[in-house]
Amino acid sequence: MRDVLAAVFGLAVRADFDEDEIPVDTLPGWFVDVCDASATTDALAVEGREKYRERTGAGPWKVQDWLSRFDPELEARGWAFWDLTRSPDDSGRLRIWLDTWGEPFFSWEDVRWLAHVCGADSVADPVVARSEQWAGERSV
């Protein structure tokens, strides 16, 4: 997950989002492949693509559509990545921490897609929490 986000945040700084296609050469190859509905790439990513479809009824995100969410001029993405932590209840769950700039409702299907193709068994809907809660958890 961090590898994909690091690559896409680098593109957000360098890429020309006015071009027809954003370059994908810095993204992990398995991620580019899993965004193609017919690609049979990494088994974990393919399983995640299927879990996303089962959960949402939607097909995979096309890589260019997903990348467009990171266009700094669009402001379509309603979040900034903070951290990934282990749940303190020893359940084995991981928590994705996002800064939503105080908005309780925000667009986040791009995050759900990423979490599923990175191996999440399930992805719960967002819950608003204070930063103190995040500060008390261990980063993964």
Side-chain angles (χ1 to χ4, degrees):
M1 186 174 213
R2 289 181 193 273
D3 290 345
V4 175
L5 288 173
V8 77
F9 290 148
L11 284 171
V13 172
R14 294 186 315 276
D16 182 356
F17 283 82
D18 292 329
E19 293 294 320
D20 288 338
E21 292 213 353
I22 303 159
V24 298
D25 55 325
T26 58
L27 291 170
W30 66 264
F31 182 76
V32 175
D33 289 346
V34 79
C35 290
D36 179 352
S38 63
T40 54
T41 182
D42 178 88
L44 186 69
V46 171
E47 184 179 339
R49 183 174 63 200
E50 182 58 24
K51 286 179 182 177
Y52 180 82
R53 188 195 61 72
E54 288 171 5
R55 174 71 166 94
T56 66
W61 278 67
K62 295 189 182 317
V63 72
Q64 292 297 319
D65 291 341
W66 193 81
L67 289 173
S68 72
R69 303 290 295 204
F70 296 87
D71 180 344
E73 301 297 317
L74 264 186
E75 298 181 7
R77 183 174 40 88
W79 56 269
F81 181 74
W82 260 5
D83 205 355
L84 182 66
T85 65
R86 291 193 189 285
S87 179
D89 63 7
D90 291 328
S91 64
R93 285 181 278 183
L94 300 178
R95 297 184 198 214
I96 301 169
W97 293 89
L98 306 173
D99 182 357
T100 64
W101 304 289
E103 296 297 324
F105 300 102
F106 61 99
S107 177
W108 70 284
E109 279 302 314
D110 44 8
V111 177
R112 185 192 314 257
W113 166 252
L114 180 61
H116 274 293
V117 299
C118 287
D121 287 329
S122 65
V123 180
D125 291 342
V127 174
V128 176
R130 297 194 171 279
S131 60
E132 294 82 16
Q133 186 178 354
W134 158 75
E137 296 185 12
R138 283 187 309 133
S139 290
V140 175

